[in-house]
Coordinates of all heavy atoms in Angstrom, one line a residue:
F102 N 24.9 32.9 -6.5 CA 25.5 31.6 -6.6 C 25.4 31.1 -8.0 O 24.4 31.4 -8.7 CB 24.8 30.7 -5.6 CG 25.0 31.0 -4.2 CD1 24.1 31.9 -3.5 CD2 26.1 30.5 -3.5 CE1 24.3 32.2 -2.2 CE2 26.3 30.8 -2.2 CZ 25.4 31.7 -1.5
T103 N 26.3 30.3 -8.4 CA 26.3 29.7 -9.8 C 25.2 28.6 -9.9 O 24.6 28.2 -8.9 CB 27.7 29.0 -10.1 OG1 27.8 27.9 -9.2 CG2 28.8 30.0 -10.0
A104 N 25.0 28.2 -11.1 CA 24.0 27.1 -11.3 C 24.4 25.9 -10.4 O 23.5 25.3 -9.7 CB 23.9 26.7 -12.8
L105 N 25.6 25.5 -10.5 CA 26.1 24.4 -9.7 C 25.8 24.6 -8.2 O 25.3 23.7 -7.5 CB 27.6 24.1 -9.9 CG 28.2 23.0 -9.2 CD1 27.6 21.6 -9.6 CD2 29.8 23.0 -9.4
E106 N 26.2 25.8 -7.7 CA 26.0 26.1 -6.3 C 24.5 26.1 -5.9 O 24.1 25.6 -4.8 CB 26.7 27.4 -5.9 CG 28.2 27.4 -6.0 CD 28.8 28.7 -6.0 OE1 28.2 29.7 -6.4 OE2 30.0 28.8 -5.6
N107 N 23.7 26.6 -6.8 CA 22.2 26.6 -6.5 C 21.7 25.2 -6.4 O 20.9 24.9 -5.5 CB 21.5 27.3 -7.7 CG 21.2 28.8 -7.4 OD1 20.3 29.1 -6.6 ND2 22.0 29.6 -7.9
V108 N 22.2 24.3 -7.3 CA 21.8 22.9 -7.2 C 22.3 22.2 -5.9 O 21.6 21.4 -5.3 CB 22.2 22.1 -8.5 CG1 21.9 20.6 -8.3 CG2 21.5 22.7 -9.7
M109 N 23.4 22.5 -5.5 CA 24.0 22.0 -4.3 C 23.3 22.4 -3.0 O 23.4 21.7 -2.0 CB 25.5 22.3 -4.2 CG 26.4 21.7 -5.3 SD 28.1 22.4 -5.3 CE 28.7 21.8 -3.7
M110 N 22.7 23.6 -3.0 CA 22.2 24.2 -1.8 C 21.3 23.3 -0.9 O 21.5 23.3 0.3 CB 21.4 25.5 -2.2 CG 21.3 26.5 -1.1 SD 22.9 27.0 -0.3 CE 23.6 27.9 -1.7
P111 N 20.3 22.6 -1.4 CA 19.5 21.8 -0.5 C 20.3 20.8 0.3 O 20.1 20.5 1.5 CB 18.6 21.0 -1.4 CG 18.5 21.9 -2.7 CD 19.8 22.5 -2.8
L112 N 21.4 20.2 -0.3 CA 22.2 19.2 0.4 C 23.2 19.9 1.3 O 23.6 19.3 2.4 CB 22.9 18.3 -0.5 CG 21.9 17.4 -1.4 CD1 22.7 16.4 -2.2 CD2 20.9 16.7 -0.6
L113 N 23.7 21.1 1.0 CA 24.5 21.9 1.8 C 23.8 22.2 3.1 O 24.3 22.2 4.2 CB 25.1 23.1 1.1 CG 26.1 22.9 0.0 CD1 26.3 24.2 -0.7 CD2 27.4 22.3 0.6
I114 N 22.5 22.6 3.0 CA 21.7 22.9 4.1 C 21.5 21.7 5.0 O 21.5 21.8 6.2 CB 20.3 23.5 3.6 CG1 20.5 24.9 3.0 CG2 19.3 23.6 4.8 CD1 19.3 25.4 2.3
K115 N 21.4 20.5 4.4 CA 21.3 19.3 5.2 C 22.6 18.8 5.8 O 22.7 17.8 6.5 CB 20.7 18.2 4.3 CG 19.3 18.4 3.9 CD 18.8 17.2 3.1 CE 17.4 17.4 2.6 NZ 16.9 16.3 1.8
E116 N 23.7 19.6 5.4 CA 25.1 19.3 5.9 C 25.6 17.9 5.5 O 26.2 17.3 6.3 CB 25.1 19.5 7.4 CG 24.8 21.0 7.8 CD 24.9 21.2 9.3 OE1 24.9 20.2 10.1 OE2 25.0 22.4 9.7
E117 N 25.3 17.5 4.3 CA 25.8 16.3 3.8 C 27.3 16.5 3.3 O 27.8 17.6 3.3 CB 25.0 15.8 2.6 CG 23.6 15.4 3.0 CD 22.8 14.7 1.9 OE1 23.4 14.2 0.9 OE2 21.6 14.6 2.1
N118 N 27.9 15.4 3.0 CA 29.4 15.4 2.6 C 29.5 16.3 1.3 O 28.9 16.0 0.3 CB 29.8 14.0 2.4 CG 31.3 13.9 1.9 OD1 31.6 14.2 0.8 ND2 32.1 13.6 2.8
K119 N 30.4 17.3 1.4 CA 30.6 18.2 0.3 C 31.0 17.6 -1.0 O 30.6 17.9 -2.1 CB 31.5 19.4 0.7 CG 30.8 20.3 1.7 CD 31.6 21.5 2.0 CE 30.9 22.3 3.1 NZ 31.7 23.4 3.6
K120 N 31.9 16.6 -0.9 CA 32.4 15.9 -2.1 C 31.3 15.2 -2.8 O 31.1 15.2 -4.0 CB 33.6 15.0 -1.8 CG 34.2 14.3 -3.0 CD 35.4 13.4 -2.6 CE 35.9 12.8 -3.8 NZ 37.0 11.8 -3.5
D121 N 30.5 14.5 -2.0 CA 29.3 13.7 -2.5 C 28.3 14.7 -3.1 O 27.7 14.4 -4.2 CB 28.6 12.9 -1.4 CG 29.5 11.8 -0.9 OD1 30.4 11.4 -1.6 OD2 29.2 11.3 0.2
I122 N 28.1 15.8 -2.4 CA 27.1 16.8 -3.0 C 27.6 17.3 -4.3 O 26.8 17.4 -5.3 CB 27.0 18.0 -2.0 CG1 26.4 17.6 -0.7 CG2 26.2 19.2 -2.6 CD1 26.4 18.7 0.4
L123 N 28.9 17.7 -4.4 CA 29.4 18.1 -5.7 C 29.2 17.1 -6.8 O 28.8 17.5 -7.9 CB 30.9 18.5 -5.5 CG 31.6 19.0 -6.8 CD1 31.0 20.4 -7.2 CD2 33.1 19.2 -6.5
N124 N 29.5 15.9 -6.5 CA 29.3 14.8 -7.5 C 27.9 14.6 -8.0 O 27.6 14.5 -9.1 CB 29.9 13.5 -7.0 CG 31.4 13.5 -7.0 OD1 32.1 14.3 -7.7 ND2 32.0 12.8 -6.1

Side-chain angles (χ1 to χ4, degrees):
F102 294 90
T103 65
L105 179 64
E106 293 165 335
N107 266 281
V108 172
M109 293 171 63
M110 200 57 65
L112 299 185
L113 289 171
I114 290 169
K115 291 180 182 182
E116 299 181 343
E117 292 190 15
N118 178 285
K119 288 183 183 175
K120 185 178 178 185
D121 292 342
I122 294 170
L123 181 61
N124 291 333

